[in-house]
Amino acid sequence: MIPAAFDYVAPTTVDEAVRALSEAGEDAKVIAGGQSLLPVLRMRLAAPSKLIDLGKIAELRGVREDGDLLVIGAMTTHYDVQHDALIAEHAPLLALTTNTVADPQVRHRGTFGGSLAHADPAGDLPAPVLALDAEMVVRGMDGTRTVPAAEFFTDFFTTALRPGELLVEVRVPKTTGWSAHYEKFNRVAQAWSIVAVAAAVRVDGGTIAQARVALTNMGATPVRATSVEQALVGRPATAASIRDAAAHAAEGTAPPSNADADADYRRHLARVLTSRAVSAAVGA
């Protein structure tokens, strides 16, 4: 189908984009890589009055270090996240997760920030960002503010972004030397996660010293598996102790029931995939 008519603007700076979004009002839409928005436009499930294209804003692309943090521009593509040396060294969970996103065509066009702002419960990137205690930097006409990942995802396809605000970068604490893994269960013909688990673990002398675990598609937003983390820390990095900790994975979750899987099966998957993810991360 052909999208409904709309005005189009392609600013070259963040300030221009914020101003254009403010002037356009609630009917405007922002397009990053377009991998989620374009299908919706073609089906006329959205009919914005104006489309604001961020593709020409160079300052929104790239990865850099800032002390103990990595700073990832919102318009950095999945492909660039996959292959960035800084991310591979200091935030391997992000690279491993991005490897599972969709297909090569989508990874070359889709963006890190666009995926997070879209906030699809079955999307892969929100869970590892939550697990890593990242912070979202957003900008609007009133200035810049920082939102912790734990507060950024608020409901199905809903974030803490206010009207007129843009996600401009993501600040991720370094996990240098940590082991990580993203375990995903999905239909072969689709890349959307039925359930997935992001795990980052620091092992010291055969004992799990720190653990970060978050779940994909176990509720309206990504879920931090704090019970699993608490059960892992201080325990030996063995298959038995990991399996015991993973038994807590579904605690505090509210998984949906739909054509892909009912809630009970998702809870089962959360426990199994958590055990696999942590075991793969530590090599148990």
Side-chain angles (χ1 to χ4, degrees):
M1 294 179 63
I2 300 173
F6 53 81
D7 292 330
Y8 174 84
V9 59
T12 58
T13 68
V14 173
D15 288 341
E16 289 178 5
V18 168
R19 186 164 53 251
L21 186 57
S22 176
E23 293 171 352
E26 294 183 359
D27 288 338
K29 288 287 187 183
V30 174
I31 185 167
Q35 301 307 294
S36 298
L37 181 58
L38 286 177
V40 171
L41 293 178
R42 287 198 298 269
M43 291 184 287
R44 297 204 177 193
L45 297 176
S49 59
K50 179 175 284 188
L51 200 61
I52 301 168
D53 187 348
L54 306 183
K56 294 183 179 180
I57 305 179
E59 63 189 289
L60 291 180
R61 299 184 186 276
V63 181
R64 60 182 173 85
E65 291 183 271
D66 184 5
D68 292 333
L69 300 171
L70 287 184
V71 182
I72 305 172
M75 287 293 291
T76 305
T77 65
H78 300 314
Y79 177 86
D80 288 338
V81 170
Q82 275 184 284
H83 297 91
D84 187 86
L86 290 174
I87 290 176
E89 181 179 0
H90 300 300
L93 179 58
L94 293 181
L96 292 168
T97 303
T98 306
N99 288 341
T100 75
V101 172
D103 53 40
Q105 293 92 329
V106 170
R107 291 195 291 271
H108 274 79
R109 291 292 303 171
T111 65
F112 187 70
S115 179
L116 297 175
H118 187 51
D120 188 335
D124 294 299
L125 292 176
V129 164
L130 176 65
L132 295 176
D133 289 324
E135 293 182 329
M136 318 299 189
V137 180
V138 302
R139 191 183 304 180
M141 291 297 289
D142 294 331
T144 301
R145 64 189 183 99
T146 301
V147 182
E151 300 173 12
F152 185 75
F153 307 102
T154 60
D155 208 336
F156 286 100
F157 297 98
T158 307
T159 71
L161 285 170
R162 297 168 182 164
E165 286 186 331
L166 294 173
L167 174 61
V168 294
E169 64 185 28
V170 181
R171 301 173 67 83
V172 182
K174 292 179 179 178
T175 50
T176 314
W178 290 44
S179 302
H181 188 74
Y182 188 70
E183 188 73 21
K184 175 174 176 174
F185 185 84
N186 60 285
R187 289 186 177 184
V188 173
Q190 295 176 321
W192 300 113
S193 294
I194 295 175
V195 174
V197 179
V201 181
R202 184 173 70 84
V203 178
D204 185 4
T207 298
I208 297 174
Q210 291 178 276
R212 310 275 179 81
V213 181
L215 312 176
T216 297
N217 216 8
M218 286 295 289
T221 63
V223 179
R224 187 76 174 260
T226 54
S227 295
V228 175
E229 295 173 349
Q230 293 167 2
L232 286 170
V233 173
R235 297 292 301 280
T238 62
S241 59
I242 291 169
R243 187 168 53 251
D244 290 344
H248 300 282
E251 294 177 6
T253 64
S257 291
N258 54 35
D260 290 325
D262 65 18
D264 285 342
Y265 185 53
R266 290 177 194 269
R267 294 187 187 98
H268 166 73
L269 284 175
R271 292 186 286 268
V272 172
L273 298 180
T274 297
S275 180
R276 291 180 184 176
V278 177
S279 295
V282 303

